[in-house]
Amino acid sequence: MRVCILGAGLTSLTLAKALVNQNIYVDLYSQKKINLPHKSRTIGISKSNIEFFNNSIMNVGKIAWKLKKIEIFSDNLGKEKLINFENNHNELFSIIRNQKLFESLIKSLSKDKHFKRINSLKNFNLSDNYSLIINTDFTSPITKKYFSRKILKQYNGSAYTTIIQHEKIVNDIAVQIFTKLGPLAFLPISEKETSVVYSFYNKKNENINDLIEKYNRKYKIFKIEKINSFELKSLNLRSYYQDNILAFGDLLHRIHPLAGQGFNMTIRDIKILLEIIVSKHSLGLGLDSSVNYEFEKRLKHKNFIFSNGIDMVQEFFNFERKINSSFLSKSVQLLNKSPKINKFFTKIADRGALI
């Protein structure tokens, strides 16, 4: 059986690697020149997703930086912690540079006989004999024709990313601060480097470097690398597929980066898609539109609930920022003191919606 993937981002490469591991032939159509992800961009991957990634896609242990704790603060509570997530000092989350993961996937796929990259999206034809066509490309004519109906939300702001280089420390605690300008995250990637993601609400002429210095509480910073930015928005596609064509990745769902769950949702999607494909193969069945039907049936409602949950968190702290009150933060702080509630939210962050 042969599958076609349109696009050449992290999602496409990760999915391609997962499929070729199942001895499925994959043709990946992309632009002639593939641009590497910006070196300041990083992704957070939950513990359960890292385990799945290592076992079913590719071992990323050498490029993943393990975190043992996540501390969350709010401007309205000062230096007092709002929420604290940890798992008996065990791994809770991992951070990987987008560029390193991209390069590792390309290197691995280039050696696999089941994989073929075609350096032109123009060469793709719907009439080609593919069992499944998986589209991750926003600019594809297929996207405009079949996947234009979506629930879209603009946050009227941008996210800024960079890497800070600092003095060597034991660097295994991620920090999220809900500032008066928006959420700011410090995500360790080594003993001497930390990724920074700062999401702004409608603010211009702010000096990102000064704000990083202002909220930095533990790093002796030597250098702040060049800052990259992207527009803040969320979306949920209304229909996941058309016949044997399946939308995937950010084309299906995109969420606010405050919780670092975007790529985690995609990994969970890949896991379910593999389960469906392996199940059909075990029954001696081929791949067809029924794969897409089952995929949408199993995941559409879960992804919608989860992405709206992330949006509710964003709106919750945005509302508190607007009214300039600490009442909501103190309520969350009180709830988090319950071990059961803390454990519940830790599981949601790790595995997605528990439904």
Side-chain angles (χ1 to χ4, degrees), residues 167-273:
E167 192 172 66
K168 183 178 179 179
I169 64 168
V170 176
N171 203 19
D172 58 7
I173 300 174
V175 173
Q176 173 101 47
I177 305 167
F178 287 96
T179 78
K180 288 180 171 60
L181 296 176
L184 166 65
F186 290 91
L187 308 169
I189 52 176
S190 76
E191 293 177 320
K192 298 180 179 180
E193 293 179 299
T194 297
S195 169
V196 178
V197 182
Y198 202 163
S199 303
F200 268 36
Y201 301 114
N202 268 331
K203 288 291 180 180
K204 297 179 180 179
N205 303 319
E206 296 286 352
N207 189 306
I208 307 295
N209 289 15
D210 288 347
L211 290 168
I212 290 172
E213 293 279 6
K214 176 183 176 181
Y215 287 102
N216 167 41
R217 295 172 180 173
K218 63 179 178 180
Y219 301 113
K220 183 178 179 181
I221 299 175
F222 298 142
K223 180 183 178 181
I224 299 177
E225 295 185 2
K226 185 178 178 180
I227 291 169
N228 179 238
S229 65
F230 58 91
E231 184 183 8
L232 286 173
K233 59 183 177 181
S234 69
L235 69 85
N236 282 278
L237 207 59
R238 291 186 180 274
S239 178
Y240 276 27
Y241 73 98
Q242 174 68 33
D243 297 327
N244 71 327
I245 307 171
L246 177 67
F248 213 82
D250 283 353
L251 194 58
L252 275 187
H253 43 64
R254 184 171 176 177
I255 59 175
H256 196 287
L258 70 88
Q261 286 290 334
F263 196 61
N264 278 292
M265 289 181 72
T266 294
I267 294 174
R268 294 178 193 122
D269 287 353
I270 292 174
K271 183 178 181 180
I272 296 301
L273 184 61

Side-chain angles (χ1 to χ4, degrees), residues 249-303:
D250 283 353
L251 194 58
L252 275 187
H253 43 64
R254 184 171 176 177
I255 59 175
H256 196 287
L258 70 88
Q261 286 290 334
F263 196 61
N264 278 292
M265 289 181 72
T266 294
I267 294 174
R268 294 178 193 122
D269 287 353
I270 292 174
K271 183 178 181 180
I272 296 301
L273 184 61
L274 281 188
E275 287 178 4
I276 295 168
I277 289 172
V278 169
S279 175
K280 285 192 172 293
H281 182 71
S282 67
L283 295 172
L285 301 174
L287 304 184
D288 54 26
S289 61
S290 64
V291 172
N292 298 340
Y293 169 80
E294 188 172 344
F295 178 81
E296 181 181 82
K297 184 179 178 181
R298 289 180 62 177
L299 278 172
K300 186 177 179 181
H301 65 291
K302 291 184 179 181
N303 285 338

Side-chain angles (χ1 to χ4, degrees), residues 9 97 123 164 187 252 288 302 321 344:
R97 289 178 184 262
N123 290 337
I164 58 173
L187 308 169
L252 275 187
D288 54 26
K302 291 184 179 181
R321 175 184 65 85
F344 174 76

Side-chain angles (χ1 to χ4, degrees), residues 97-108:
R97 289 178 184 262
N98 289 31
Q99 197 173 102
K100 284 189 176 181
L101 181 57
F102 190 95
E103 291 170 340
S104 297
L105 287 165
I106 285 285
K107 183 178 179 180
S108 178

